[in-house]
């Protein structure tokens, strides 16, 4: 399960990537700013505009290193992928399961149960660490949300259709994001969460959440592709042209663990300030370039945190969990497991 | 005497020679590689790959008494396999008796997978050249020794039986469940196979209930 987690993030908007021997070289205005040996890399994510040389694209494709191009706001543009993925039998099993209204139930149940349980863990940790210092009513609100998430997680076990599970997922999101402000402890009005907004994010908390969800989405998509699954054919999320529905499915249970917790600690430890964000005329908020760099470092560090995988009972970095889950989903679809054991974080 | 063309369906049903070795090591490993198309490189497989590249890259040469060919493409319709021999020496006064040599990075093993792979090559050579191939050799990188192998009836029977079993498993497209054994530690696919966890997996619904405290 252990695998290298080195992703090269190129944050400068003017960076050009090229190959030099067995290295990737980052150039800005014709001068070399960094280099890394290809064999150390699992992926390259570039926020730059200029792009990468064909020689580098070919070398990465051959070595199974995925290059993702994002625009400076983190919006996905394109990816270059080598030929090593793809298992037609697994994809057929995935499609057959996705076409059958009852076949997806054990998968979606695993996802929704784990997601609600992980949201509950975020709240439990806040209660454990800061329960006594919460302002009036805060503690009671968190305790109520904790109970409601437990209730939702339990009800997923009896849910018999994907539609019922979708409803439970919505209920969990309401309970969780309803108290998200109680988890932000700086008292800084710049970091008030105004309810989930995405297109565009309307406050700094949403801008951060969206940024990490985009990164997590890339990781989940890569993990699915590495295990031969089609990232576009989902179970909780239905097909929509251009949407990586299965990557969104896989993300659900990992959002609280990887993204939400990191947003909370970056804000609560005051590692981000109000002016690390740009507020656009129409109200959209985004992270600026210098802050983006710090946030990516924090993201990479978070992915290196070791934990014990609940199903495998094996220690692994948090960043490998998406791979472990993709593998478990593949094993369920190929018949080794009678359900999908979602990642339950404690 | 080159092999004659065969019909397309037969050709497509040929399985790689390497599948025989994988099947004897572990049928699930064979299915993970040849049915599910999974592959994981570890130090051992990387060394093996480099080792074979080096062997195959050597040039064909003719010495008095024998001709040596490298990286020889082979197939047998009878066995239903296709693949490559590292080295084939053509021995005898007229250079008519093929003598296959397979290079292995490691050392001789207790199981007969290496001999079966070599025997399958011999049977391919017999089909291609129409002459008996009574023996060949395995060369082990770790001991730097050549070990002669006689293709007796017992080894040929094991080779045929393994080829049939591997071919029908691959044709069925089913992956057998894992069997956790000491050899798993030497398998580069262990992390993708998860034999310890999946040999007797729990009911996921019950596991999930326990995890969320229901």
């Amino acid at each position: 399960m252990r695998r290298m987690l080195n992703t090269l993030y190129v944050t400068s908007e003017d960076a050009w990537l090229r190959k030099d021997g067995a290295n990737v070289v980052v150039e800005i205005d014709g001068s070399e700013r960094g280099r890394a040996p290809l064999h150390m890399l699992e992926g390259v994510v570039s926020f730059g505009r200029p792009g990468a040389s064909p020689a580098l694209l070919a070398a990465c494709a051959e070595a199974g290193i995925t290059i993702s191009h994002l625009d400076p706001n983190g919006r996905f543009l394109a990816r270059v992928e080598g030929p090593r993925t793809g298992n037609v039998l697994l994809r057929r099993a995935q499609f057959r399961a996705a076409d059958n209204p009852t076949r997806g139930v054990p998968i979606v149940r695993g996802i929704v149960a784990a997601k609600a349980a992980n949201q509950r863990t975020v709240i439990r940790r806040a209660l454990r660490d800061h329960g006594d210092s919460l302002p009036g009513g805060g503690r009671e609100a968190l305790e109520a949300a904790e109970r409601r998430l437990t209730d939702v997680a339990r009800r997923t076990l009896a849910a018999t259709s994907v539609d019922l599970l979708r409803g439970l997922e919505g209920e969990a999101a309401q309970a969780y994001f309803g108290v998200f402000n109680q988890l932000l402890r700086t008292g800084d009005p710049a970091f008030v969460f105004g309810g989930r907004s995405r297109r565009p994010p309307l406050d700094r908390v949403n801008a951060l959440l969206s940024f990490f969800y985009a990164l997590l989405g890339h990781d989940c998509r890569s993990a699915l592709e590495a295990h031969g699954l089609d990232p576009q054919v989902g179970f909780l999320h239905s097909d929509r042209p251009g949407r990586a529905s299965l990557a969104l499915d896989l993300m659900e249970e990992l959002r609280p663990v990887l993204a939400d917790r990191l947003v909370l600690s970056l804000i609560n430890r005051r590692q981000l300030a109000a002016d690390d964000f740009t507020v656009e005329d129409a109200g959209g908020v985004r992270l600026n370039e210098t802050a983006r760099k710090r946030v990516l470092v924090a993201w990479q560090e978070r992915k290196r945190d070791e934990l014990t995988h609940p199903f495998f009972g094996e220690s692994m970095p948090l960043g490998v969990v998406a791979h472990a889950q993709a593998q478990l989903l593949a094993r369920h679809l190929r018949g080794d497991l009678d359900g999908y054991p979602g990642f339950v974080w404690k | 005497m080159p092999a004659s063309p065969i019909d397309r369906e037969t050709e497509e049903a040929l399985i790689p020679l390497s599948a025989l070795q994988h099947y004897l090591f572990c049928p699930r490993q064979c299915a993970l590689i040849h049915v599910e198309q999974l592959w994981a490189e570890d130090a051992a497989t990387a060394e093996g790959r480099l080792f074979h590249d080096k062997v195959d890259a050597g040039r064909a040469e003719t010495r008095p008494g024998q001709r040596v060919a490298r990286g020889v493409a082979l197939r047998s319709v009878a066995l239903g396999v296709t693949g490559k021999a590292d080295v084939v020496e053509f021995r005898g006064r007229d250079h008519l008796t093929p003598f296959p040599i397979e290079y292995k990075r490691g050392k001789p093993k207790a199981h007969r997978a290496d001999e079966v792979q070599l025997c399958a090559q011999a049977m391919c050579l017999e089909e291609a050249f129409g002459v008996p191939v009574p023996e060949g050799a395995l060369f082990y990188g770790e001991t730097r020794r050549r070990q002669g192998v006689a293709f007796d009836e017992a080894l040929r029977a094991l080779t045929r039986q393994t080829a049939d079993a591997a071919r029908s498993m691959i044709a069925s497209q089913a992956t057998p469940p894992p069997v956790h054994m000491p050899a798993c530690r030497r398998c580069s696919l262990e992390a993708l196979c998860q034999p310890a966890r999946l040999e007797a997996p729990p009911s996921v619904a019950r596991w999930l209930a326990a995890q969320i405290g229901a």
Side-chain angles (χ1 to χ4, degrees), chain A:
Chain A
M1 189 66 62
R2 197 158 289 274
R3 170 188 318 255
M4 267 185 291
L5 283 174
N6 297 315
T7 302
L8 173 67
Y9 290 99
V10 181
T11 55
S12 172
E13 296 177 17
D14 305 314
W16 165 250
L17 305 174
R18 64 176 175 85
K19 176 177 171 288
D20 179 23
N23 296 287
V24 50
V25 171
V26 183
E27 269 183 14
I28 295 168
D29 296 330
S31 70
E32 180 175 330
R33 294 297 183 81
R35 64 167 56 218
L38 285 172
H39 74 271
M40 297 289 288
L41 294 179
E42 188 178 57
V44 177
V45 177
S46 169
F47 293 84
R49 293 185 195 281
S53 74
L56 179 69
L57 298 179
C60 287
E62 186 174 354
I65 300 166
T66 302
I67 300 186
S68 299
H69 290 286
L70 278 57
D71 79 1
N73 294 327
R75 197 174 66 89
F76 176 75
L77 298 174
R79 65 195 280 131
V80 177
E81 176 93 32
R84 277 198 206 169
T85 54
N87 168 359
V88 68
L89 299 175
L90 176 58
R91 278 207 301 272
R92 269 185 180 279
Q94 179 187 349
F95 296 169
R96 275 197 299 268
D99 282 341
N100 178 335
T102 55
R103 182 63 183 76
V105 171
I107 297 170
V108 179
R109 180 182 294 137
I111 293 169
V112 177
K115 182 179 184 183
N118 294 345
Q119 290 172 327
R120 177 181 67 173
T121 299
V122 170
I123 289 171
R124 277 188 181 168
R125 290 195 170 198
L127 279 167
R128 187 189 67 197
D129 298 342
H130 310 287
D132 299 332
S133 59
L134 284 166
R139 182 182 181 138
E140 288 71 25
L142 288 184
E143 282 168 348
E146 194 266 352
R147 282 192 301 273
R148 206 164 144 213
L149 289 166
T150 298
D151 178 53
V152 170
R154 286 182 184 160
R155 276 152 59 206
T156 61
L157 301 174
T160 49
S161 77
V162 170
D163 276 341
L164 284 170
L165 287 161
R166 284 193 186 115
L168 289 168
E169 197 252 337
E171 202 180 322
Q174 227 175 8
Y176 175 70
F177 283 118
V179 296
F180 205 72
N181 256 320
Q182 313 288 338
L183 305 171
L184 296 161
R185 290 177 294 101
T186 58
D188 184 343
F191 289 101
V192 167
F193 175 71
R196 189 75 186 107
S197 56
R198 297 175 299 152
R199 292 178 185 172
L202 295 173
D203 58 48
R204 293 176 177 81
V205 179
N206 272 295
L208 264 185
L209 286 171
S210 290
F211 187 74
F212 286 133
Y213 291 166
L215 296 178
L216 182 57
H218 293 296
D219 288 358
C220 287
R221 186 179 174 135
S222 300
L224 292 166
E225 282 174 345
H227 287 84
L229 290 158
D230 186 327
Q232 292 206 327
V233 177
F235 297 94
L236 173 61
H237 292 84
S238 50
D239 294 355
R240 189 184 293 167
R243 181 162 84 174
S245 294
L246 191 63
L248 295 175
D249 287 2
L250 180 57
M251 264 175 78
E252 291 298 349
E253 63 203 68
L254 302 177
R255 285 176 201 241
V257 192
L258 269 153
D260 303 355
R261 264 297 283 205
L262 187 54
V263 168
L264 293 173
S265 58
L266 284 170
I267 294 172
N268 288 340
R269 290 180 192 154
R270 298 176 195 274
Q271 285 167 287
L272 287 169
D275 61 6
D276 283 325
F277 297 81
T278 308
V279 182
E280 287 156 355
D281 291 335
V285 180
R286 62 189 189 90
L287 205 55
N288 31 4
E289 190 181 324
T290 50
R292 196 160 62 216
K293 223 171 263 185
R294 272 181 286 141
V295 161
L296 283 166
V297 169
W299 171 254
Q300 279 298 82
E301 280 171 4
R302 178 79 178 122
K303 287 204 291 181
R304 286 187 219 280
D305 286 350
E306 290 273 334
L307 48 73
T308 301
H309 190 279
F311 191 79
F312 288 125
E314 186 184 312
S315 169
M316 63 180 72
L318 195 40
V320 172
V321 168
H323 281 274
Q325 295 310 118
Q327 189 182 349
L328 286 169
L329 180 56
R331 293 317 336 161
H332 166 62
L333 289 167
R334 290 291 283 147
D336 284 349
L337 285 167
D338 65 1
Y340 167 67
F343 177 76
V344 180
W345 180 56
K346 285 187 181 152

